[in-house]
């Protein structure tokens, strides 16, 4: 049980709603000893490819590896630059460094937190080989424009879709764009396993075949290895859980959108609070519902006192992490990311959150700004 009246997310509530099915699925994986790759992983790969309206889905160990394996599959490595947004989870940068390339940070746009198109154009150099747009918070990056820029500059486009299962652009699936989309099934994502898992979704058959082998020791047969790869495979237990959950993802996405609509309605017009503004073409899936707020520290404390948990995604954007301090970035280089990191607050968001709970969150926030109207 959570110590909060309204937790930030509630994975247990989801398990309760699916328990018999999930328990049975896990039991059959164990009975069949189908622990690594195998029939359950293949079934899920096919189901998820179909869900994404794509030709191929390559199951891997986690979302970070999905990005890394996609970079390797596109031949990106030492001497290459890969453009990534400043505001994202560290994994986007790690994958680039793991591949031996250099992450080049691009500022983000204030209204969504996704990669800024103008700054992207300015950061392209002869060494740029790829861009990784991140569909931050579940809002797709502007892939139509990014694809056009990528074509002009011969860049690959690898989507970081870890927060954006089921997102669309003008009604089109993400798989219609770029070289591939990389997914994470970390337990807290919109589609989450009960451990680590990830996938790369693509329409390119040769690329998919390479990644499938690379993720499995470069193996063509049990002890026949075409090249050295890595060990990053989907495990059967995770795949079986994901197959059960995938059937509910469309409904869960609708429920997230309903909660977001309540937040949008109830929180607009509160002085001290700024809502993000999704683009009209965006099929946003609300992995997170993020607001920009004044007096964030006090607001977060006030929410906690009222039993409401919140998050910050992310409190330090990548250019300012100690891990990347050797690049010597200063706030003026990334004015938007720097402003966002100091004002973002993620409100409780999960499919099982009730309308009443969402209303409660809004009324506590409204009370806070009435009590402290000096902003
Ligand atoms: C979660 C996440 C990842 C990494 O996924 P893992 O499965 O945890 O490795 C990468 N990028 C973004 C934006 C994420 O949110």
């Amino acid at each position: 049980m959570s110590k909060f009246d309204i937790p930030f997310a509630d994975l247990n509530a989801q398990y309760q709603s699916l328990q018999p099915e999930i328990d049975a699925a896990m039991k059959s994986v164990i009975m069949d000893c189908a622990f690594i790759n195998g029939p359950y992983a293949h079934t899920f790969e096919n189901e998820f490819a179909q869900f994404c309206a794509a030709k191929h889905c390559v199951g891997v160990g986690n979302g970070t590896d999905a990005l890394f394996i996609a970079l390797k599959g596109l031949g990106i490595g030492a001497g290459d630059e890969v453009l990534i947004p400043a505001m994202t989870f560290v994994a986007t940068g790690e994958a680039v460094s793991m591949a031996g390339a250099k992450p080049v940070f691009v500022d983000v746009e204030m209204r969504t937190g996704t990669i800024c198109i103008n700054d992207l154009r300015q950061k392209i150099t002869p060494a740029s080989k790829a861009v990784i747009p991140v569909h931050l918070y579940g809002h797709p990056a502007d892939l139509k424009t990014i694809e056009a820029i990528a074509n002009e500059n011969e860049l690959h486009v690898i989507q970081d879709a870890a927060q954006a299962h089921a997102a669309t652009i003008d009604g089109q699936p993400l798989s219609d764009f770029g070289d591939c989309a990389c997914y994470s099934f970390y337990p807290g994502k919109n589609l989450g396993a009960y451990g680590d898992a990830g996938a790369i979704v693509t329409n390119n058959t040769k690329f998919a075949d390479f990644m499938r082998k690379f993720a499995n020791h470069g193996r063509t047969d049990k002890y026949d290895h075409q090249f050295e790869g890595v060990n990053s495979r989907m495990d059967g237990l995770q795949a079986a859980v994901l197959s059960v959950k995938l059937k509910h993802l469309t409904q869960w996405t609708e429920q997230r959108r309903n909660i977001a609509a309540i937040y949008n309605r109830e929180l607009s017009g509160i002085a001290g609070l700024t809502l993000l503004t999704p683009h009209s073409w965006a099929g946003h899936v609300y992995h997170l519902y993020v607001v920009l707020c004044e007096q964030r520290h006090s607001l977060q404390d006030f929410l906690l006192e009222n039993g409401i948990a919140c998050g910050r995604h992310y409190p330090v954007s990548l250019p300012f992490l100690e891990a990347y301090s050797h690049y010597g970035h200063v706030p003026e280089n990334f004015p938007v990311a720097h402003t966002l990191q100091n004002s973002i607050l993620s409100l409780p968001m999960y499919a099982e959150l009730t309308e009443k709970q969402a209303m409660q969150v809004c009324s506590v926030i409204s009370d806070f700004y009435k009590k402290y109207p000096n902003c």
Side-chain angles (χ1 to χ4, degrees):
M1 275 307 290
S2 168
K3 63 187 156 90
F4 298 105
D5 299 328
I6 305 182
F8 182 63
D10 191 347
L11 299 182
N12 198 260
Q14 194 188 61
Y15 176 55
Q16 306 266 327
S17 74
L18 302 173
Q19 186 169 10
E21 258 186 291
I22 291 203
D23 291 0
M26 293 183 84
K27 189 169 178 194
S28 35
V29 175
I30 297 167
M31 294 296 285
D32 295 349
C33 297
F35 297 118
I36 296 192
N37 278 344
Y40 294 89
H42 293 146
T43 298
F44 174 71
E45 286 176 329
N46 289 334
E47 291 167 348
F48 195 63
Q50 196 176 4
F51 182 86
C52 295
K55 279 198 193 137
H56 307 284
C57 167
V58 180
V60 296
N62 56 69
T64 312
D65 281 358
L67 291 164
F68 164 68
I69 290 164
L71 287 160
K72 295 298 285 185
L74 293 168
I76 291 161
D80 298 335
E81 293 180 357
V82 178
L83 300 137
I84 68 169
M87 183 54 82
T88 178
F89 181 58
V90 68
T92 318
E94 281 177 321
V96 174
S97 304
M98 276 160 65
K102 179 187 175 191
V104 173
F105 304 118
V106 177
D107 207 5
V108 294
E109 56 170 33
M110 192 71 95
R111 65 181 284 180
T112 64
T114 59
I115 195 164
C116 168
I117 297 298
N118 289 336
D119 200 38
L120 172 63
R121 287 186 202 277
Q122 296 193 353
K123 297 276 168 73
I124 294 172
T125 75
S128 308
K129 287 288 161 0
V131 52
I132 308 185
V134 178
H135 307 313
L136 194 71
Y137 311 145
H139 185 294
D142 184 358
L143 289 180
K144 285 191 178 172
T145 309
I146 292 166
E147 226 178 32
I149 295 172
N151 287 337
E152 280 163 36
N153 295 280
E154 293 181 46
L155 302 178
H156 289 293
V157 179
I158 299 169
Q159 302 173 53
D160 183 338
Q163 304 187 357
H165 317 73
T168 54
I169 291 183
D170 269 335
Q172 277 179 266
L174 299 178
S175 59
D176 283 4
F177 302 91
D179 291 276
C180 63
C182 298
Y183 290 88
S184 164
F185 305 112
Y186 179 80
K189 308 290 190 193
N190 288 23
L191 178 62
Y194 285 168
D196 277 313
I200 307 129
V201 167
T202 181
N203 289 313
N204 181 332
T205 303
K206 256 176 92 175
F207 180 38
D209 288 347
F210 173 86
M211 292 191 288
R212 197 178 294 288
K213 281 184 210 155
F214 184 82
N216 190 17
H217 302 291
R219 174 177 277 152
T220 48
D221 198 1
K222 191 160 187 192
Y223 293 111
D224 194 4
H225 305 268
Q226 195 181 342
F227 47 79
E228 281 186 334
V230 294
N231 175 4
S232 183
R233 303 167 295 204
M234 182 172 274
D235 84 51
L237 285 168
Q238 305 312 333
V241 169
L242 290 168
S243 284
V244 171
K245 289 193 179 192
L246 181 59
K247 299 202 253 336
H248 302 273
L249 183 57
T250 302
Q251 191 207 330
W252 289 337
T253 303
E254 278 318 302
Q255 288 169 276
R256 285 176 182 272
R257 286 176 174 153
N258 287 340
I259 299 298
I262 293 171
Y263 283 152
N264 284 339
R265 186 186 71 220
E266 298 296 319
L267 298 175
S268 65
I270 296 182
L273 211 61
T274 305
L275 306 187
L276 296 183
T277 321
H279 288 281
S280 57
W281 44 258
H284 194 333
V285 294
Y286 292 100
H287 173 57
L288 297 169
Y289 187 93
V290 172
V291 294
L292 315 184
C293 51
E294 291 178 23
Q295 302 182 78
R296 176 176 61 181
H297 192 77
S298 312
L299 173 60
Q300 201 170 357
D301 283 350
F302 191 75
L303 284 159
L304 282 176
E305 281 163 30
N306 285 276
I308 297 168
C310 288
R312 290 180 292 166
H313 301 86
Y314 294 87
V316 184
S317 55
L318 266 51
F320 311 118
L321 288 174
E322 193 181 341
Y324 298 114
S325 58
H326 53 286
Y327 293 124
H329 291 303
V330 291
E332 299 80 75
N333 300 146
F334 301 93
V336 179
H338 196 261
T339 303
L340 288 177
Q341 74 180 37
N342 291 325
S343 61
I344 41 171
L345 190 68
S346 311
L347 305 183
M349 172 54 84
Y350 50 94
E352 296 78 12
L353 190 74
T354 65
E355 292 188 12
K356 195 168 158 234
Q357 287 174 312
M359 292 295 286
Q360 172 70 11
V361 173
C362 296
S363 99
V364 171
I365 293 173
S366 165
D367 284 351
F368 172 81
Y369 285 109
K370 276 184 205 142
K371 220 165 143 185
Y372 304 100
N374 56 322
C375 54

